[in-house]
Amino acid sequence: MSKLGSIGARLHRGEISYDFIGHRKLWYGISILITITAILGLTVRGLNMGIDFQGGAVFTTPKTSVSVAQAEDYARDASGHDAVVQKLGNDTLRIQIAGMDTQQSDEIKDKLAADFKVDSEKIAADLVGPSWGDQIANKAWQGLGIFMVLVVIYLAIAFEWRMAIAALVALIHDITITVGIYALVGFEVTPGTVIGLLTILGYSLYDTVVVFDSLKEQTKDLTKQTRFTYSDVANRSINSTLVRSINTTVVALLPVAGLLFIGGGVLGAGTLNDISLSLFVGLAAGAYSSIFIATPLVADLKEREPQMKALRKRVLAKRAQAATDEEIETSRPVADDSEDAAPAVVGPRNQPAARNRGRGRPSGKRR
């Protein structure tokens, strides 16, 4: 840990650094590839919407030894539709069947009770109408849209419009990747998923704003010097906050990983699974976009300004002149004083007599 702290201090002081801005085309390419894959997953497979969005029935069985695969067969035979079955932590099963009305729900409940060999009253049944799911989806989209608008306005006022655009692109990048992974792996989208998606936007903005704040502070009066370009300062801002971003992301991911792999995987808590998966993927994508997407994009936008173009020309010209001077200095021959050097004086040196010494005195001596 002390070594990591030492590296962080050296990065903050600028003693060591990695050229994130110089390799921005690589990061853009990786993000474009991941985003295209996510969009293809959404187009081809689509999202596995839960019954909260499309309506249906949820049945919760008492403690049973029936396997998940066998329960899926029972539910398919009883309803004629595919069912989503989750095993909960107390050895109970949660069976979701989409597109059911009240009468069908009662019939399926009786058939499941017979298959599980339990009393019908011991199986809990909840019916969700499709209008409820549509209302949830509309509210989620409205909340996302309002959030995006407020973020752009705030960043444009607190920083500048280029940083607002870069942060917006990073947020869209994070949401697209997270939703695309849901589509590719087939995880069910529930209200918990929506909560997780809205939550990760704040975490993603946190790292982005930290870098932007450092960049804003270091670029004051930037055009009055000729040592650094805007991209140089942007790269230094990323390096100076890199360890902080890594630490905050790791600290945030650890409890989320606990919810995902222990709460969801071991205990079988479906709600925890829905929220923690979106948080885990979104936090990782947000940390990546803050470092590799948002700040390089700001540098690209700023370098298009006439003032920054002129600054870059001056900086490059000064660096070229410095390189030329260094090359001339290193190629200058060293004088060989073995033959041409004047011979060294051996013995006492004869000092010249002082002018007017002893003038006016008979003996020539000082009094």
Side-chain angles (χ1 to χ4, degrees):
M1 295 299 293
S2 60
K3 186 175 181 181
L4 180 61
S6 175
I7 293 175
R10 295 179 65 190
L11 284 168
H12 183 74
R13 292 192 298 265
E15 297 175 2
I16 58 174
S17 64
Y18 179 79
D19 191 6
F20 291 98
I21 305 298
H23 296 85
R24 60 186 179 277
K25 291 184 179 179
L26 174 62
W27 317 134
Y28 293 163
I30 293 174
S31 294
I32 290 173
L33 180 61
I34 297 175
T35 303
I36 291 175
T37 304
I39 293 175
L40 287 176
L42 287 170
T43 304
V44 176
R45 298 196 59 177
L47 290 172
N48 180 20
M49 306 300 291
I51 63 170
D52 295 288
F53 292 99
Q54 58 181 344
V58 180
F59 302 95
T60 304
T61 68
K63 186 175 181 180
T64 179
S65 59
V66 176
S67 65
V68 172
Q70 186 62 48
E72 289 177 350
D73 293 336
Y74 288 159
R76 188 182 302 110
D77 295 338
S79 64
H81 296 83
D82 291 332
V84 177
V85 180
Q86 291 178 320
K87 189 172 184 179
L88 305 181
N90 54 355
D91 290 333
T92 62
L93 296 177
R94 184 171 183 262
I95 304 172
Q96 302 179 64
I97 305 175
M100 298 289 104
D101 55 26
T102 304
Q103 183 177 357
Q104 291 174 318
S105 174
D106 294 336
E107 295 176 357
I108 294 171
K109 179 180 177 181
D110 294 335
K111 292 180 181 179
L112 289 175
D115 292 331
F116 281 91
K117 296 181 175 59
V118 295
D119 188 359
S120 176
E121 298 298 328
K122 293 184 178 180
I123 297 180
D126 296 317
L127 191 64
V128 179
S131 59
W132 170 252
D134 292 339
Q135 187 177 6
I136 293 178
N138 292 332
K139 293 296 183 182
W141 283 114
Q142 290 176 9
L144 180 61
I146 294 173
F147 177 83
M148 293 289 191
V149 172
L150 292 178
V151 164
V152 171
I153 294 175
Y154 171 76
L155 292 179
I157 296 174
F159 299 99
E160 59 173 301
W161 65 267
R162 295 169 187 82
M163 292 184 178
I165 291 177
L168 181 62
V169 171
L171 288 176
I172 296 174
H173 167 273
D174 299 340
I175 294 176
T176 304
I177 290 178
T178 305
V179 175
I181 289 179
Y182 262 85
L184 289 172
V185 300
F187 283 104
E188 185 181 20
V189 178
T190 65
T193 305
V194 177
I195 295 172
L197 286 174
L198 295 177
T199 304
I200 63 173
L201 301 181
Y203 281 101
S204 176
L205 278 176
Y206 175 79
D207 288 336
T208 302
V209 170
V210 167
V211 180
F212 283 178
D213 185 66
S214 175
L215 181 57
K216 179 183 178 181
E217 182 179 353
Q218 296 188 45
T219 51
K220 291 180 179 179
D221 301 327
L222 182 64
T223 56
K224 296 181 180 180
Q225 52 82 48
T226 56
R227 294 182 59 192
F228 305 107
T229 64
Y230 191 93
S231 295
D232 295 333
V233 179
N235 192 69
R236 189 167 60 184
S237 298
I238 297 175
N239 281 275
S240 63
T241 58
L242 181 62
V243 174
R244 180 191 301 178
S245 298
I246 293 175
N247 288 337
T248 54
T249 302
V250 171
V251 169
L253 281 176
L254 287 176
V256 174
L259 289 175
L260 178 61
F261 298 109
I262 298 177
V266 177
L267 300 180
T271 304
L272 292 180
N273 231 354
D274 300 335
I275 298 177
S276 59
L277 178 64
S278 59
L279 285 176
F280 189 84
V281 176
L283 285 174
Y288 174 84
S289 64
S290 299
I291 298 173
F292 298 98
I293 302 300
T295 309
L297 185 56
V298 171
D300 277 338
L301 294 174
K302 290 292 291 186
E303 291 287 0
R304 298 175 184 271
E305 292 183 354
Q307 291 182 345
M308 296 305 164
K309 288 182 179 180
L311 174 63
R312 172 172 284 274
K313 288 182 180 180
R314 295 197 303 269
V315 172
L316 294 180
K318 184 176 180 179
R319 290 177 182 176
Q321 183 62 42
T324 302
D325 295 342
E326 184 178 357
E327 183 179 355
I328 294 174
E329 185 67 24
T330 55
S331 62
R332 179 179 298 172
V334 179
D336 186 4
D337 54 359
S338 60
E339 296 180 357
D340 299 335
V345 178
V346 180
R349 296 179 59 186
N350 295 325
Q351 299 294 334
R355 295 180 179 179
N356 302 327
R357 184 177 182 181
R359 179 181 296 179
R361 300 193 191 106
S363 60
K365 295 182 179 179
R366 296 174 183 257
R367 290 183 181 177

